[in-house]
Amino acid sequence: MSPYWPWWAGAVGLALVTIVHTLTTDRSLGVSSAWDRVLHWRSERELERLDEEFTDEQAFADALAAATAEHFGPGAGAPAAPQHFPGQHSPEQYSHAQYPQAQYSQAQFAGDQYPQEQYPQEQYPPVQYTRDDAPAAEPGPATAGSTPVAAPRPAPVVTQAALLVSILLGGWIAAYTSGRFELRFDMGAGFESLVTADPLIMTAVLFAGGILVGFGTRLAGGCSSGHGLSGCGRLRPVSLVATAVFFGTAVAVSFLLWKVI
Amino acid sequence: MRTRGGVLLANIIAGLGLGYTVTNIGFGDYAELNRMFTFQDLRMFLAFAGAVGIIVCVFALLRVRRTPGRIHAGVIPGAMLFGTGWAISGGCPAIPIIQVSSGYLPALVTLVGVVVGMRLCRWANGRYFQLDSGSCGV
């Protein structure tokens, strides 16, 4: 008798976690993306700081309209009388010098991208946060056929760190309450029989495997949670392809370990 | 739940739920993982596939938008590297965390490898690959 959950309980559990997270945050669950953002927290914080400066999109649009009207005269393509709502900034507050159009074009802003002049491509690829390619920041439960809405910004990096710490805690609760928690310096009998029992080789294999996982998930743009659960759940073609390839490769390598090596 | 505090709370709940569920399914157990990948035991495979099936149905019922997602040049080689790493180390980015929390201390080495791999990927993408979408930066 297996000490683990039956398949249907696991399926319901994984689905519940993914669905609740997606519906409540309007974002997809992606562990490798969370890892990557936490690892590069300095640059992520800088991007968040920059983003906060332009939080009020209506005010920004108004500022652009006012600047255009000031430069070319009224009726030059900009909205003649931008709408204002209580509590929003008036266009007079934003001078042309504050928001030069060459630096922050509306197209860049609308796509949630960051000005490339300040952030070299090597550090920040220009399509870093496009709505189609960011598993951690996709539009979530917006219904099909509804008015297009702006993609939510990437979740704050501190929330990503909280996700990783919570996984650690959740895993410990499960292991402790089921009586499976045990501090050990090996990876179990399965690893010893299929891979190696030598501690030195085990360390090298785990390190190399970790590098492949870290490099591969970032190159593919997601992992088993981002592509496998969230992406396949949305029937994203890229996620279906990625999941088929990483599962297929893992099957091939596992057969090699089991039957050949 | 779209505020900073709301997302923080949702991520804490999701993390606790994911860690608890994945551990109880047995994804942290290397022997179970190998049995899944070699089709000796379909329990974990069915758990994963069943979850995807439920998510697809619920998202379709709630009419959650299907985002297109471009298949860029990094998807297939990246997924192959990830699949290889998962099969030999037993860890996708969440699993070494739950292995550590279950007491498998050598999984800390896997975590160090994941960190090195991710940093290496961002560096290599900026310097050599210049992949234009979704890779190394999401």
PDB file of all heavy atoms in Angstrom, chain A residues 11, chain B residues 44-54:
ATOM      1  N   ALA A  11      -4.800  14.941  -7.849  1.00  0.00           N
ATOM      2  CA  ALA A  11      -5.301  15.756  -8.970  1.00  0.00           C
ATOM      3  C   ALA A  11      -6.159  16.902  -8.458  1.00  0.00           C
ATOM      4  O   ALA A  11      -5.991  18.060  -8.879  1.00  0.00           O
ATOM      5  CB  ALA A  11      -6.103  14.878  -9.933  1.00  0.00           C
TER       6      ALA A  11
ATOM      7  N   MET B  44       1.174   8.933  -9.942  1.00  0.00           N
ATOM      8  CA  MET B  44       1.571  10.353  -9.953  1.00  0.00           C
ATOM      9  C   MET B  44       1.295  10.984 -11.310  1.00  0.00           C
ATOM     10  O   MET B  44       0.924  12.148 -11.399  1.00  0.00           O
ATOM     11  CB  MET B  44       3.061  10.484  -9.588  1.00  0.00           C
ATOM     12  CG  MET B  44       3.344  10.147  -8.149  1.00  0.00           C
ATOM     13  SD  MET B  44       4.762  10.989  -7.448  1.00  0.00           S
ATOM     14  CE  MET B  44       6.038  10.630  -8.586  1.00  0.00           C
ATOM     15  N   PHE B  45       1.477  10.201 -12.358  1.00  0.00           N
ATOM     16  CA  PHE B  45       1.188  10.724 -13.706  1.00  0.00           C
ATOM     17  C   PHE B  45      -0.295  11.081 -13.816  1.00  0.00           C
ATOM     18  O   PHE B  45      -0.655  12.144 -14.340  1.00  0.00           O
ATOM     19  CB  PHE B  45       1.577   9.685 -14.762  1.00  0.00           C
ATOM     20  CG  PHE B  45       1.309  10.126 -16.159  1.00  0.00           C
ATOM     21  CD1 PHE B  45       2.170  11.001 -16.806  1.00  0.00           C
ATOM     22  CD2 PHE B  45       0.186   9.689 -16.834  1.00  0.00           C
ATOM     23  CE1 PHE B  45       1.907  11.421 -18.104  1.00  0.00           C
ATOM     24  CE2 PHE B  45      -0.082  10.101 -18.128  1.00  0.00           C
ATOM     25  CZ  PHE B  45       0.785  10.971 -18.759  1.00  0.00           C
ATOM     26  N   LEU B  46      -1.152  10.205 -13.282  1.00  0.00           N
ATOM     27  CA  LEU B  46      -2.596  10.469 -13.324  1.00  0.00           C
ATOM     28  C   LEU B  46      -2.962  11.672 -12.445  1.00  0.00           C
ATOM     29  O   LEU B  46      -3.885  12.426 -12.784  1.00  0.00           O
ATOM     30  CB  LEU B  46      -3.378   9.231 -12.874  1.00  0.00           C
ATOM     31  CG  LEU B  46      -3.396   8.075 -13.870  1.00  0.00           C
ATOM     32  CD1 LEU B  46      -4.080   6.850 -13.254  1.00  0.00           C
ATOM     33  CD2 LEU B  46      -4.115   8.469 -15.151  1.00  0.00           C
ATOM     34  N   ALA B  47      -2.243  11.824 -11.339  1.00  0.00           N
ATOM     35  CA  ALA B  47      -2.507  12.990 -10.479  1.00  0.00           C
ATOM     36  C   ALA B  47      -2.220  14.276 -11.248  1.00  0.00           C
ATOM     37  O   ALA B  47      -3.010  15.228 -11.222  1.00  0.00           O
ATOM     38  CB  ALA B  47      -1.651  12.914  -9.217  1.00  0.00           C
ATOM     39  N   PHE B  48      -1.089  14.298 -11.957  1.00  0.00           N
ATOM     40  CA  PHE B  48      -0.700  15.494 -12.720  1.00  0.00           C
ATOM     41  C   PHE B  48      -1.670  15.711 -13.886  1.00  0.00           C
ATOM     42  O   PHE B  48      -2.196  16.818 -14.076  1.00  0.00           O
ATOM     43  CB  PHE B  48       0.732  15.328 -13.238  1.00  0.00           C
ATOM     44  CG  PHE B  48       1.324  16.588 -13.773  1.00  0.00           C
ATOM     45  CD1 PHE B  48       1.966  17.490 -12.931  1.00  0.00           C
ATOM     46  CD2 PHE B  48       1.250  16.892 -15.119  1.00  0.00           C
ATOM     47  CE1 PHE B  48       2.507  18.659 -13.432  1.00  0.00           C
ATOM     48  CE2 PHE B  48       1.788  18.057 -15.619  1.00  0.00           C
ATOM     49  CZ  PHE B  48       2.419  18.939 -14.771  1.00  0.00           C
ATOM     50  N   ALA B  49      -1.894  14.648 -14.657  1.00  0.00           N
ATOM     51  CA  ALA B  49      -2.775  14.777 -15.825  1.00  0.00           C
ATOM     52  C   ALA B  49      -4.205  15.088 -15.390  1.00  0.00           C
ATOM     53  O   ALA B  49      -4.899  15.896 -16.029  1.00  0.00           O
ATOM     54  CB  ALA B  49      -2.739  13.484 -16.644  1.00  0.00           C
ATOM     55  N   GLY B  50      -4.635  14.472 -14.294  1.00  0.00           N
ATOM     56  CA  GLY B  50      -5.983  14.738 -13.784  1.00  0.00           C
ATOM     57  C   GLY B  50      -6.125  16.193 -13.369  1.00  0.00           C
ATOM     58  O   GLY B  50      -7.155  16.828 -13.622  1.00  0.00           O
ATOM     59  N   ALA B  51      -5.071  16.733 -12.729  1.00  0.00           N
ATOM     60  CA  ALA B  51      -5.107  18.145 -12.328  1.00  0.00           C
ATOM     61  C   ALA B  51      -5.242  19.038 -13.558  1.00  0.00           C
ATOM     62  O   ALA B  51      -6.049  19.977 -13.570  1.00  0.00           O
ATOM     63  CB  ALA B  51      -3.832  18.493 -11.547  1.00  0.00           C
ATOM     64  N   VAL B  52      -4.461  18.742 -14.591  1.00  0.00           N
ATOM     65  CA  VAL B  52      -4.538  19.550 -15.823  1.00  0.00           C
ATOM     66  C   VAL B  52      -5.954  19.457 -16.411  1.00  0.00           C
ATOM     67  O   VAL B  52      -6.537  20.473 -16.821  1.00  0.00           O
ATOM     68  CB  VAL B  52      -3.486  19.094 -16.858  1.00  0.00           C
ATOM     69  CG1 VAL B  52      -3.697  19.799 -18.193  1.00  0.00           C
ATOM     70  CG2 VAL B  52      -2.080  19.363 -16.348  1.00  0.00           C
ATOM     71  N   GLY B  53      -6.527  18.253 -16.409  1.00  0.00           N
ATOM     72  CA  GLY B  53      -7.879  18.077 -16.944  1.00  0.00           C
ATOM     73  C   GLY B  53      -8.905  18.902 -16.171  1.00  0.00           C
ATOM     74  O   GLY B  53      -9.754  19.568 -16.768  1.00  0.00           O
ATOM     75  N   ILE B  54      -8.798  18.876 -14.839  1.00  0.00           N
ATOM     76  CA  ILE B  54      -9.743  19.656 -14.020  1.00  0.00           C
ATOM     77  C   ILE B  54      -9.568  21.151 -14.301  1.00  0.00           C
ATOM     78  O   ILE B  54     -10.543  21.892 -14.470  1.00  0.00           O
ATOM     79  CB  ILE B  54      -9.522  19.358 -12.512  1.00  0.00           C
ATOM     80  CG1 ILE B  54      -9.872  17.907 -12.202  1.00  0.00           C
ATOM     81  CG2 ILE B  54     -10.367  20.293 -11.648  1.00  0.00           C
ATOM     82  CD1 ILE B  54      -9.470  17.464 -10.796  1.00  0.00           C
TER      83      ILE B  54
END
